[in-house]
Structure formats: C-alpha cells, structure tokens
C-alpha cells in the first residue's frame, strides 16, 4: 500500500517514541479495491494525551472516544486502540476501554471489509478475512450481526450503502439480521438516515427495493409503492420498481431531481382504481403526489430550495409537451420558469417516460422533440426584464397607474414573446395605446 508522505511521517513519528500506529478502515479497503482514497484514519497504541503532546497542530476532537485530529496536509483522525462498552441508545457506546493490540481494536468494527489495518513494515492486518470478502464482493459483519446492529443501528443502513457503492451483495446472515432488527432504525436521526439514502440514490438506487422493511418507520411509502401494481399497457412493473428504474436514467446525477423522481409517483398509491377489465388507473396522481412530496420534504429536512422545487416537479412530471410556442409560453412565462428549471422538468419527464413499457416510452420522443423545438425558439422575450420598456416608460407615455402598469407590462411581454422582432419601445407603446 503506497501511503502519502504526510501519513508516513505521522506513523513514523508515533513509532519513533515506542508506540504502534496503523492506517485502518476505509482507506485500506479502497486501496485493495483500487479505488481513490479521500482520507486516511490512523489507529495507535498511544493514548490521546500522548498524541496531543507529540503533534503541535492537533485538536482533541473526540477525546471521550480516544480521538485526536492532527492538522496535516489534510486533517487526520488518530484514535487509540479501544473496545466499546454497551450501547444503550443503539448508536453510541456509553464508554470506551483502551486496549493494547490492533487486533482487539479491529474486533469492534462493523464489517470485515472495514476491519483491516496496514503498517508499512508489518503489512496487512486482516484477522476477519476482509480481503477474502472483497474478492467475493460480499458484505459480512465482524462477529455476530445481531450484536453489531444492536450496538449501532446506523450500521444497517451502512450495509446497504456499501452494497450500492461497491456493487457488492449482502451475506445472508447480515440480511436476516437487518430484517430482524429493523425496528432499531427509530434510534437513528432522520438526518443520518437521509444522508445514507442520498449515497444510495447516487450510486445504485435499485438497492432501495431491498430496504422497504428497514425504512418502514420513516418512509413507509416505499413499501406501499412496492405493493402497488400497475396493470396497464403503459407499464411493466409496480410503482416502486418503475420509480427506481426512472432514477437510473438520471444522468448526470442531481440530488434534487433524484428526490423528485423518488417521490414522483407516490400519489398513485392513494388514487389507484381498477376498472371492470382489470386495468389500473391513477387519475390526479400528480396533484396528490405533489402534496405528499411537500410533507416528505419536511420529514426528510431537505433544503428550502428542494422543498420549493420538488413538489413543483412532481406536480408537472406527467405534463404533455407539444412543439408550439404556446407550450413554451406556458412554462417560461405563465409558470415563471427560467431555462434551468424547465430543462430540469424535461429531464424528469424523460426519465419517467423511459421507465415505461415500450408503448409508454414513446412519450420520451415527445420530450426530445420539444427540447429541440425549445432550443430553436429560446431567443425571444420571456420575462418583463427583457422588454424594451419598463414601468416608468408606460407612466410617461400613458395614463395608466397602479396595478394597470403591471397588467400593461404583462400584455407587452405576451406580445413581445410571440413577436420578438417587435420588442422595441415605440412599437410596444403603440400596441398599448391601440389596445387600451
């Protein structure tokens, strides 16, 4: 393992006063997988006070748990070999006990692929066959899975995140234990849950289909979507798998659009009807889904910007786009969308259409045609700020006042949109005088 010079210097400095020090965890795993490494964690037999005295630029960021951060080229967390006591809150150990060997420290870790350490002289330390599991592409717990998940319920989400991120499968004992202990998710904050969800959504959203039981206490809508079939010539699967398929078409990835796609069809659960021929219908699902998405955005504590736009995208995700100026006018002028948000809506509509049956996918072509039409017709007046006149000009040239000024500007905007060559001050004033 080729370590950066600043990491080698830290290890050598600790070794130089008689203590052991190893890089540990994710950096070792990622090096063995030939993945880029973003940060290095170090484990040591030296106690925190020793590290604080040894390094001038160091901060006791987690002294309760034996962690000191050394400010080098990048901040490096250095943690004393430790074992952890009981986890009464199913998230954090009540106390830690320092131990003398790296092997003891590795025994407390979550998964075998994260329970490896490396020293430039001693080489790889792998008491739980993490290297074997990397080759087998499997996520397996260190020791008893029930114990690991009862200690820290967040580990259940991390297991799925590693499967998504690394393209691994989950050991059957791990999956069974997660199903057994799923109720422990209540001890994990919504912020941490959503953080893990975001990681999974970005790397492999299909993994969410295996998480419906685990997420039930905070996101029961996923399980309901899984159970909501779509017997229709336009669909080939249930609402959840359609949703996840749509998310896979989102390239490049965008967090806000991914959430919009995740939530876009949840309204179908409430409005589903089945006719006498056994065909399913979902009238007004976009409107119902938009209202539901508002509540989910609050529940997940998403940003104010996301709370504004996700319900809008859900409301309009099923809109029909036609190649005419009226359609452009509706979105850019009536709905006050700038180009960025219109193109976002088109992308959501396209991803949704592609996750339909072959017949349903035909609407994706309509999106492509509208996009090309829009690009050809984008250079026209689409906001009042682009008009060749303003409110002051109208006041000076007419008797209009108050609300009439805004109405006049809107009239000029509509005229200039459809007649871009006539977006000139005198021309627009003449239109107003003739119309009013």
């Amino acid at each position: 393992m080729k370590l950066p010079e600043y990491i080698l210097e830290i290890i050598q400095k600790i070794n130089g006063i008689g203590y052991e020090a190893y890089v540990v965890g994710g950096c070792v795993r990622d090096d063995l997988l030939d993945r880029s490494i973003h940060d290095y964690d170090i484990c040591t037999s030296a106690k925190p006070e020793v590290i604080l005295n040894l390094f001038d630029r160091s901060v006791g960021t987690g002294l309760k748990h034996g962690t000191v951060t050394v400010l080098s080229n990048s901040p490096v967390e250095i943690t004393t070999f430790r074992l952890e006591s009981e986890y009464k809150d199913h998230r954090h150990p009540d106390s830690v006990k320092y131990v003398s060997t790296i092997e003891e420290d590795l025994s407390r870790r979550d998964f075998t692929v994260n329970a490896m350490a490396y020293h430039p002289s001693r080489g790889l330390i792998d008491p739980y066959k993490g290297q074997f599991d990397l080759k087998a592409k499997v996520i397996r717990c260190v020791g008893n899975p029930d114990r690991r998940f009862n200690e820290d319920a967040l580990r259940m989400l991390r297991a799925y995140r590693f499967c998504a991120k690394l393209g691994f499968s989950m050991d059957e004992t791990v999956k069974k234990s997660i199903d057994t202990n799923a109720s422990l998710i209540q001890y994990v904050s919504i912020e941490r849950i959503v953080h893990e969800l975001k990681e999974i959504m970005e790397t492999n959203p299909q993994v969410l289909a295996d998480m419906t039981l685990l997420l039930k206490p905070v996101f029961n809508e996923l399980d309901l979507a899984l159970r909501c079939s779509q017997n229709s010539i336009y669909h080939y699967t249930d609402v959840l798998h359609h949703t996840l398929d749509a998310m896979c078409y989102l390239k490049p990835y965008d967090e806000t659009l991914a959430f919009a796609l995740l939530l876009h069809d949840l309204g179908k659960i409430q409005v589903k009807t089945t006719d006498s021929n056994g065909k399913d219908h979902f009238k007004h699902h976009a409107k119902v889904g938009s209202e539901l998405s508002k509540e989910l955005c609050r529940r997940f504590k998403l940003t104010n910007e996301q709370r504004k736009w996700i319900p809008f995208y859900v409301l309009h995700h099923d809109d029909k786009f036609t190649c005419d100026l009226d359609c452009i006018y509706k979105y850019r002028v009536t709905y006050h969308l700038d180009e960025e948000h219109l193109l976002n809506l088109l992308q959501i509509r396209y991803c949704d259409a592609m996750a339909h049956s072959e017949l349903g996918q035909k609407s994706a072509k309509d999106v492509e045609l509208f996009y090309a039409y829009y690009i050809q017709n984008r250079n026209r007046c689409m906001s009042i700020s682009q008009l060749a006149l303003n409110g002051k000009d109208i006041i000076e040239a007419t008797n209009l006042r108050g609300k009439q000024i805004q109405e006049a500007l809107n009239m000029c905007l509509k005229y200039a949109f459809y007649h871009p060559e006539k977006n000139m001050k005198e021309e627009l004033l003449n239109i107003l005088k003739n119309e009013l």
Side-chain angles (χ1 to χ4, degrees):
M1 185 174 180
K2 186 172 176 56
L3 297 174
E5 193 62 35
Y6 73 97
I7 296 295
L8 285 171
E9 288 176 1
I10 292 174
I11 291 174
Q12 289 164 1
K13 197 167 185 178
I14 297 172
N15 291 165
I17 59 170
Y19 294 96
E20 295 180 39
Y22 302 82
V23 289
V24 68
C27 64
V28 181
R29 177 198 69 228
D30 289 341
D31 181 79
L32 290 169
L33 290 172
D34 200 26
R35 292 168 59 92
S36 59
I37 299 171
H38 302 292
D39 53 57
Y40 292 83
D41 292 327
I42 291 176
C43 231
T44 180
S45 57
K47 291 184 178 178
E49 57 268 25
V50 174
I51 300 300
L52 285 169
N53 288 328
L54 185 61
F55 295 94
D56 293 334
R57 299 180 68 235
S58 59
V59 184
T61 48
L63 292 179
K64 181 181 177 183
H65 299 113
T67 300
V68 172
T69 298
V70 171
L71 305 175
S72 185
N73 292 37
S74 295
V76 180
E77 287 193 352
I78 302 178
T79 303
T80 304
F81 297 159
R82 71 189 194 196
L83 288 175
E84 294 162 343
S85 67
E86 186 181 0
Y87 290 64
K88 287 181 182 176
D89 66 353
H90 300 284
R91 278 291 287 119
H92 310 96
D94 298 330
S95 62
V96 299
K97 180 180 75 171
Y98 297 137
V99 292
S100 58
T101 69
I102 184 64
E103 287 80 5
E104 289 175 285
D105 183 272
L106 295 176
S107 71
R108 68 178 173 82
R109 296 178 181 266
D110 51 8
F111 308 114
T112 59
V113 297
N114 296 331
M116 295 180 284
Y118 176 83
H119 187 275
S121 300
R122 192 176 170 190
L124 183 68
I125 314 299
D126 182 17
Y128 299 100
K129 299 182 179 179
Q131 197 172 14
F132 175 84
D133 287 339
L134 285 180
K135 290 178 181 176
K137 296 186 175 182
V138 65
I139 296 299
R140 187 165 55 88
C141 286
V142 173
N144 185 294
D146 289 339
R147 179 178 178 181
R148 294 285 86 96
F149 297 140
N150 270 272
E151 288 172 342
D152 184 357
L154 178 64
R155 289 170 172 167
M156 296 186 290
L157 287 165
R158 282 168 54 84
Y160 282 110
R161 191 235 297 171
F162 284 123
C163 286
K165 204 164 188 176
L166 302 177
F168 283 16
S169 59
M170 194 178 291
D171 183 80
E172 193 57 35
T173 62
V174 177
K175 181 68 172 71
K176 286 181 180 178
S177 181
I178 290 175
D179 289 346
T180 300
N181 296 288
S183 62
L184 295 175
I185 197 72
Q186 66 186 295
Y187 296 101
V188 183
S189 71
I190 192 64
E191 291 88 348
R192 292 308 302 265
I193 292 172
V194 171
H195 174 77
E196 297 295 326
L197 280 181
K198 289 176 181 178
E199 295 270 347
I200 293 167
M201 287 162 60
E202 182 171 5
T203 51
N204 183 5
Q206 298 289 359
V207 168
L208 293 172
D210 299 323
M211 299 175 63
T212 56
L213 176 61
L214 177 60
L215 293 173
K216 251 189 169 186
V218 293
F219 197 7
N220 185 45
E221 291 82 2
L222 277 191
D223 186 63
L224 296 175
L226 178 63
R227 300 170 190 279
C228 187
S229 60
Q230 300 183 99
N231 185 16
S232 160
I233 57 175
Y234 300 106
H235 287 280
Y236 58 84
T237 189
D238 57 75
V239 169
L240 178 59
H241 284 92
H242 156 72
T243 294
L244 303 182
D245 287 351
M247 293 172 71
C248 290
Y249 284 102
L250 183 60
K251 300 181 189 308
Y253 179 81
D254 178 273
E255 183 182 296
T256 300
L257 302 191
F259 269 112
L261 284 167
L262 180 64
L263 308 181
H264 82 279
D265 263 357
L266 295 183
K268 287 183 173 180
I269 298 162
Q270 297 181 34
V271 303
K272 178 180 175 179
T273 59
T274 305
D275 64 25
S276 58
N277 296 317
K279 300 298 181 184
D280 295 328
H281 302 277
F282 305 94
K283 292 181 180 178
H284 309 300
H285 76 277
K287 183 177 180 180
V288 173
S290 180
E291 290 302 312
L292 176 58
S293 71
K294 291 177 185 177
E295 194 277 318
L296 288 167
C297 285
R298 287 192 296 270
R299 188 190 306 174
F300 296 157
K301 299 185 178 180
L302 300 186
T303 67
N304 289 336
E305 189 75 4
Q306 289 172 327
R307 294 187 196 195
K308 174 183 177 181
W309 286 108
I310 289 172
F312 178 88
Y313 293 143
V314 172
L315 179 62
H316 294 283
H317 80 269
D318 209 26
D319 286 4
K320 303 294 185 288
F321 292 92
T322 55
C323 293
D324 54 63
L325 291 178
D326 289 350
C327 192
I328 296 177
Y329 185 87
K330 179 172 72 171
Y331 290 97
R332 285 301 311 271
V333 181
T334 305
Y335 293 162
H336 305 292
L337 292 190
D338 59 19
E339 184 166 286
E340 176 189 356
H341 291 98
L342 172 58
L343 296 184
N344 283 346
L345 179 58
L346 290 178
Q347 191 170 10
I348 288 169
R349 184 72 189 90
Y350 178 82
C351 293
D352 178 29
M354 291 302 294
H356 280 68
S357 66
E358 189 173 342
L359 179 61
Q361 286 180 358
K362 289 182 178 180
S363 62
K365 185 65 177 177
D366 295 337
V367 177
E368 292 175 331
L369 291 172
F370 176 79
Y371 172 76
Y373 180 81
Y374 170 75
I375 296 300
Q376 291 172 357
N377 291 276
R378 73 209 293 197
N379 294 322
R380 57 184 63 234
C381 190
M382 298 196 194
S383 67
I384 288 173
S385 64
Q386 294 176 306
L387 285 172
L389 52 61
N390 56 35
K392 183 179 178 182
D393 296 324
I394 295 174
I395 291 173
E396 292 175 351
T398 71
N399 294 320
L400 300 177
R401 296 295 182 268
K403 291 182 179 180
Q404 295 173 320
I405 304 297
Q406 187 62 47
E407 292 170 0
L409 287 170
N410 290 335
M411 183 186 299
C412 289
L413 174 56
K414 188 166 187 176
Y415 184 81
F417 173 85
Y418 286 101
H419 306 92
E421 73 285 354
K422 295 187 177 182
N423 185 20
M424 295 178 286
K425 183 176 177 180
E426 293 303 320
E427 189 80 37
L428 295 175
L429 288 173
N430 286 333
I431 293 298
L432 284 179
K433 289 172 182 177
N434 291 332
E435 289 289 331
L436 299 173

